[in-house]
Amino acid sequence: MEPTAPGGSASLARELARVAARFQEGPVRLAELANVFGTQGSFAFLAVLSLPFLSPVPLLGLATPAGLVVVVIGLQIARGRPPQLPARLADKVLPDRFLPRLLHGASRVLNWVERVLRPRWDWVCRRLAKPAVTGLLLALAGGLLLLPIPVPMSNSLPASAILLLSVGAMIRDGAAFVLGCLALLTSAVFLAAVAFGGWELLDWLQSGRQ
């Protein structure tokens, strides 16, 4: 899948403006939000979807369905198919006032995007940021995001990987794409360490009761 517009972050800003104009009031279904971005805006949709989870505080009630959405769309991108959400995910309604807060946060991130990201490292985009590779990496990041681990940074690390991989592929910024790969690796190591530490703690507690 090609990016929405290789021209840069301004295309993402236009996408967000369209979304804001479309959903000013009332409940919003995930399917409606995804349809506004369109088939060619999948990277923009995933980038925006990742923004609420950049906070160090995990949003466990929202991270699991959001992670599932990223997994589904990532696998479809990898297989070269038009992204389409399953019915159960498509019908999920976003919480009240969630979208305005989401777009407000997106505007802040866009200020950074417009200053920092740009088309570069074309060799990375040609060799690594292919649809099959990008889709699989996004699916892996989504799988990490959906894990119900109530510790700080458990959402923000995989969300940062989703954001960087998405905008890197969309804008064709090879440096952002590489940073997204590093964020994904860091997420996997961090969550594995948390899981191992929790298992060791549980084993210690059980042995102390004996």
Side-chain angles (χ1 to χ4, degrees):
M1 176 176 296
E2 293 299 324
T4 305
S9 60
S11 62
L12 181 53
R14 288 194 298 269
E15 293 291 340
L16 293 183
R18 287 201 304 117
V19 174
R22 173 67 176 81
F23 301 115
Q24 293 182 356
E25 298 179 358
V28 180
R29 292 167 55 243
L30 269 177
E32 294 175 303
L33 183 58
N35 288 338
V36 169
F37 285 96
T39 301
Q40 295 301 316
S42 298
F43 292 133
F45 172 62
L46 294 182
V48 171
L49 191 64
S50 71
L51 296 178
F53 306 100
L54 295 177
S55 169
V57 180
L59 304 175
L60 299 182
L62 294 174
T64 297
L68 285 172
V69 170
V70 177
V71 170
V72 169
I73 294 181
L75 291 177
Q76 291 173 338
I77 290 174
R79 299 175 68 179
R81 295 184 177 181
Q84 184 175 1
L85 296 177
R88 288 188 64 182
L89 288 175
D91 291 335
K92 188 169 182 63
V93 178
L94 299 176
D96 292 341
R97 300 168 63 182
F98 174 79
L99 190 59
R101 288 198 295 263
L102 174 61
L103 296 178
H104 179 68
S107 65
R108 294 183 178 181
V109 176
L110 274 178
N111 289 331
W112 174 75
V113 170
E114 291 170 353
R115 291 195 303 266
V116 178
L117 301 187
R118 63 184 184 278
R120 57 186 160 184
W121 292 17
D122 185 62
W123 61 273
V124 171
C125 298
R126 285 186 285 104
R127 296 186 180 184
L128 295 180
K130 298 178 180 180
V133 176
T134 305
L136 287 176
L137 292 176
L138 285 168
L140 288 173
L144 295 177
L145 178 63
L146 64 83
L147 295 177
I149 301 178
V151 297
M153 307 297 291
S154 61
N155 285 173
S156 58
L157 286 173
S160 64
I162 295 168
L163 176 63
L164 289 167
L165 289 170
S166 298
V167 298
M170 182 175 63
I171 298 174
R172 301 196 65 78
D173 186 338
F177 189 85
V178 170
L179 287 176
C181 294
L182 293 176
L184 177 58
L185 178 60
T186 302
S187 303
V189 172
F190 173 77
L191 294 177
V194 169
F196 178 78
W199 183 268
E200 288 293 311
L201 177 61
L202 180 61
D203 185 61
W204 179 76
L205 291 174
Q206 289 178 341
S207 62
R209 294 176 181 175
Q210 297 176 355

